[in-house]
């Protein structure tokens, strides 16, 4: 039986300028059965979102090129990317930073350090919401 083309696992873009975090998040997402692509700065992240059309972006706030806030704002300004879920990851846990991320259109916010279990649960929830919204 040939699998239908709609059974591809969701694609997660991981954008972080810390190589160790990038590698560990990529490993974690692949272990969960998800496809991944990576970006090491904000400029690469925005280009990857536009090119790859991921289902979810794990987006670090503090990156060279463009900040995660700038990437989030650019994604939300593009109607063709409206279904992209954005989970912001940051060491900045202050209420003002969380509020700014959510105000710019992030779907969720997790502060570092975070438990991998919490992250995986949040990713699953956001992907389920995206699937419901896009009719997948």
């Amino acid at each position: 039986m040939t699998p239908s083309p709609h059974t591809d696992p969701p694609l997660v873009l991981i954008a972080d300028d810390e190589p160790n975090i990038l590698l560990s998040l990529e490993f974690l997402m692949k272990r969960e059965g998800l496809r991944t692509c990576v970006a090491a700065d904000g400029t690469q992240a925005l280009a990857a979102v536009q090119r790859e059309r991921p289902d979810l972006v794990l987006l670090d706030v503090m990156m060279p090129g463009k900040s995660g806030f700038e990437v989030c704002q650019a994604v939300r300004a593009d109607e063709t990317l409206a279904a992209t879920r954005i989970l912001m990851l940051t060491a900045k846990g202050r209420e003002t930073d969380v509020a700014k991320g959510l105000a710019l259109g992030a779907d969720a916010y997790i502060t570092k350090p975070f438990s991998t279990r919490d992250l995986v649960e949040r990713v699953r929830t956001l992907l389920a919401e995206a699937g419901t919204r896009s009719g997948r």
Side-chain angles (χ1 to χ4, degrees):
M1 188 156 125
T2 309
S4 100
H6 301 292
T7 58
D8 279 345
L11 177 63
V12 177
L13 169 64
I14 304 159
D16 201 303
D17 61 327
E18 284 288 330
N20 292 339
I21 293 174
L22 211 52
L23 282 170
S24 61
L25 288 175
E26 185 178 24
F27 175 80
L28 182 64
M29 293 300 110
K30 284 182 175 179
R31 193 180 75 193
E32 291 298 311
L34 303 169
R35 294 177 300 136
T36 63
C37 55
V38 298
D41 65 42
T43 305
Q44 286 180 14
L46 185 55
V49 170
Q50 293 164 337
R51 181 183 63 249
E52 303 292 337
R53 306 288 180 176
D55 299 285
L56 173 69
V57 180
L58 298 181
L59 185 60
D60 184 27
V61 169
M62 305 279 285
M63 290 187 293
K66 294 183 181 295
S67 73
F69 291 135
E70 292 170 307
V71 173
C72 182
Q73 193 169 24
V75 169
R76 290 299 177 237
D78 184 336
E79 290 177 9
T80 66
L81 301 174
T84 307
R85 315 313 298 149
I86 298 175
L87 173 55
M88 301 202 79
L89 305 170
T90 185
K92 288 183 144 196
R94 296 193 322 243
E95 287 298 314
T96 53
D97 294 317
V98 173
K100 181 177 180 180
L102 297 174
L104 289 174
D107 296 290
Y109 207 104
I110 290 186
T111 55
K112 298 174 187 173
F114 47 80
S115 88
T116 55
R117 192 177 81 229
D118 289 347
L119 177 63
V120 167
E121 284 177 19
R122 192 68 65 93
V123 164
R124 289 275 174 221
T125 300
L126 288 170
L127 289 173
E129 289 171 0
T132 303
R133 217 172 276 168
S134 66
R136 288 186 198 197

